[in-house]
Amino acid sequence: MARYALRYPDPPAVKPVVISMLHPAHKWVALTLDDGVPFDPRILALLEHDHIRITTFLIGQMVKARPDLVARMKRDGFEIANHTWDHAGLRHSTDAQVRTELSKCQRAISAVTGDQAPYLRPPGGTTNKRVDAVAASMGYRTVLWSRSMADTSKSATPAQLYKRTIKGLRPGEIILGHWGRPQTYAALVLILPELRREGFQIVTVSDLIADSGGPEALK
Ligand SMILES: [Zn+2]
């Protein structure tokens, strides 16, 4: 399967692009899990059990604190991507602050995986053209999402998360969830078998891009 390994450090700049949905040839979707703090190990075990490879946007501080988990994700074939050093809002940061947030997170990731993270997900999904341009100059494409599990809601039940994730799901969607929210695991227990029944395959963002015409086709 095509991967877009970048050299580290100093990967080549890319064209600024914001990806929230793709148009793959296959019935594929990307499940993306963010933060890593808190962390529910049951989710990782569930994905491993089903041999599902995802893209995860980790906070640099978490990567530094739990290199064991990150190394395990790398062994699992996960794509480890940048979610800033400390979950900083980037929209109101200076260019220099954006660079520092990304490179500190990148250093933590590379220390464990040896890889350059190919994507940035700005915390809260709040970005702008300037942030995307700084990220692109550092080799990152910005990845948002087309569908949220809404697992940050404290009152939502697993059944509600399930419905929100499954209803009307189309190939090429990028689904946002989080590693440690109270209902995420229980919702995924419902969601994963239903996706299989519906013929969806969960892939990484890079695989979704590759199946959608490759990076050259990104607008
Ligand atoms: Zn986040």
Side-chain angles (χ1 to χ4, degrees):
M1 204 141 299
R3 305 290 294 272
Y4 298 103
L6 297 174
R7 70 166 190 260
Y8 175 81
D10 302 323
V14 294
K15 195 174 69 169
V17 63
V18 179
I19 302 162
S20 49
M21 172 145 187
L22 290 149
H23 300 282
H26 295 88
K27 198 171 179 180
W28 288 359
V29 291
L31 172 65
T32 61
L33 296 181
D34 284 9
D35 299 348
V37 195
F39 190 90
D40 184 343
R42 295 176 303 171
I43 297 176
L44 184 53
L46 181 68
L47 296 172
E48 287 172 337
H49 178 267
D50 288 353
H51 303 288
I52 292 171
R53 294 167 49 243
I54 67 161
T55 300
T56 179
F57 295 86
L58 296 176
I59 298 168
Q61 287 176 331
M62 175 273 178
V63 176
K64 184 147 194 211
R66 295 302 307 269
D68 56 318
L69 286 177
V70 179
R72 185 169 149 192
M73 291 181 200
K74 156 99 173 160
R75 277 198 303 279
D76 292 337
F78 288 16
E79 196 163 57
I80 318 285
N82 198 315
H83 199 43
T84 75
W85 170 248
D86 56 4
H87 215 256
L90 297 179
R91 211 166 32 176
H92 302 296
S93 303
T94 65
D95 289 9
Q97 285 168 331
V98 173
R99 274 181 221 286
T100 301
E101 280 290 335
L102 301 195
S103 56
K104 274 183 86 173
C105 179
Q106 181 62 62
R107 272 200 297 279
I109 292 172
S110 302
V112 180
T113 68
D115 296 338
Q116 166 76 23
Y119 309 111
L120 163 69
R121 176 168 284 158
T126 55
T127 188
N128 58 29
K129 281 197 181 334
R130 185 181 58 84
V131 170
D132 297 334
V134 172
S137 76
M138 298 171 74
Y140 300 101
R141 296 183 170 97
T142 302
V143 174
L144 300 179
W145 57 90
S146 61
R147 182 175 291 256
S148 169
M149 289 175 69
D151 57 348
T152 53
S153 157
K154 286 196 171 65
S155 59
T157 64
Q160 286 167 332
L161 267 53
Y162 164 84
K163 200 168 162 198
R164 184 180 257 275
T165 305
I166 292 293
K167 199 174 175 206
L169 186 70
R170 289 175 294 163
E173 293 218 44
I174 297 175
I175 302 165
L176 163 70
H178 297 80
W179 279 107
R181 303 293 177 164
Q183 305 297 358
T184 310
Y185 169 75
L188 286 173
V189 166
L190 303 173
I191 290 164
L192 299 183
E194 177 61 15
L195 290 181
R196 267 196 299 278
R197 266 194 298 277
E198 293 289 325
F200 281 103
Q201 191 180 334
I202 294 172
V203 299
T204 62
V205 169
S206 284
D207 288 337
L208 207 53
I209 290 173
D211 200 47
S212 305
E216 308 75 30
L218 294 171
K219 285 195 195 67

